[in-house]
Amino acid sequence: MATIFSKIIKGEIPGDIVYRDDQITAFRDIDPQAPTHILIVPNKEIPTVNDVNPEDEATLGHMFSVAKRIAEKEGIAQTGYRLLVNCGRDANQEVLHLHMHLFGGRQLGPMIMRK
Ligand code: AMP
């Protein structure tokens, strides 16, 4: 079954797409946690980081250069931003289609919740 992100990538359900190419699609998170909250998603369905293969390395590297370009476009490159990838249960990964969150536009606080 296609993931909800694959459906957005294929245009089957709506998404606020800010960037797309043959490897990656980026769209605004439906429940933003910061003024800028964009998801950068490989077009290929890789469920989690645990499923990454060497053949995916070019796409995963490309995600960083796309993240940089989106941050510049959003006007947050100089103030700073956070890139985050959740993997599995303890990270609360909700959508099993690997994605990078790009957060910015406000002071983002500590890296993770302290116990
Ligand atoms: P994660 O917990 O890392 O799997 O993050 C999944 C993210 O996907 C959450 O921040 C959700 O708000 C977001 N999300 C879920 N459904 C959609 C959707 N249809 N369009 C955009 N973002 C979504």
Side-chain angles (χ1 to χ4, degrees):
M1 245 210 0
T3 67
I4 191 155
F5 290 171
S6 282
K7 291 179 182 169
I8 292 171
I9 290 164
K10 290 179 190 155
E12 294 169 4
I13 62 169
D16 189 352
I17 291 172
V18 299
Y19 177 88
R20 80 160 95 226
D21 64 27
D22 60 338
Q23 293 180 82
I24 284 170
T25 304
F27 46 88
R28 293 190 192 279
D29 196 289
I30 204 166
D31 182 22
Q33 308 295 313
T36 291
H37 184 175
I38 289 168
L39 302 172
I40 301 166
V41 187
N43 295 340
K44 175 183 171 186
E45 266 188 32
I46 304 167
T48 79
V49 173
N50 289 337
D51 302 298
V52 165
N53 290 312
E55 74 207 36
D56 302 318
E57 286 172 8
T59 300
L60 298 175
H62 184 49
M63 287 164 72
F64 278 89
S65 77
V66 168
K68 172 195 149 175
R69 274 145 63 189
I70 293 173
E72 286 166 354
K73 215 167 162 198
E74 292 285 308
I76 58 171
Q78 297 311 314
T79 46
Y81 51 94
R82 181 169 294 156
L83 301 174
L84 179 131
V85 179
N86 289 317
C87 178
R89 186 193 60 199
D90 281 358
N92 285 344
Q93 182 180 359
E94 288 172 16
V95 178
L96 289 175
H97 186 152
L98 191 151
H99 50 282
M100 176 189 278
H101 295 256
L102 190 167
F103 300 102
R106 68 170 170 82
Q107 169 50 240
L108 294 166
M111 187 166 64
I112 62 168
M113 190 168 57
R114 289 179 192 276
K115 272 195 119 184

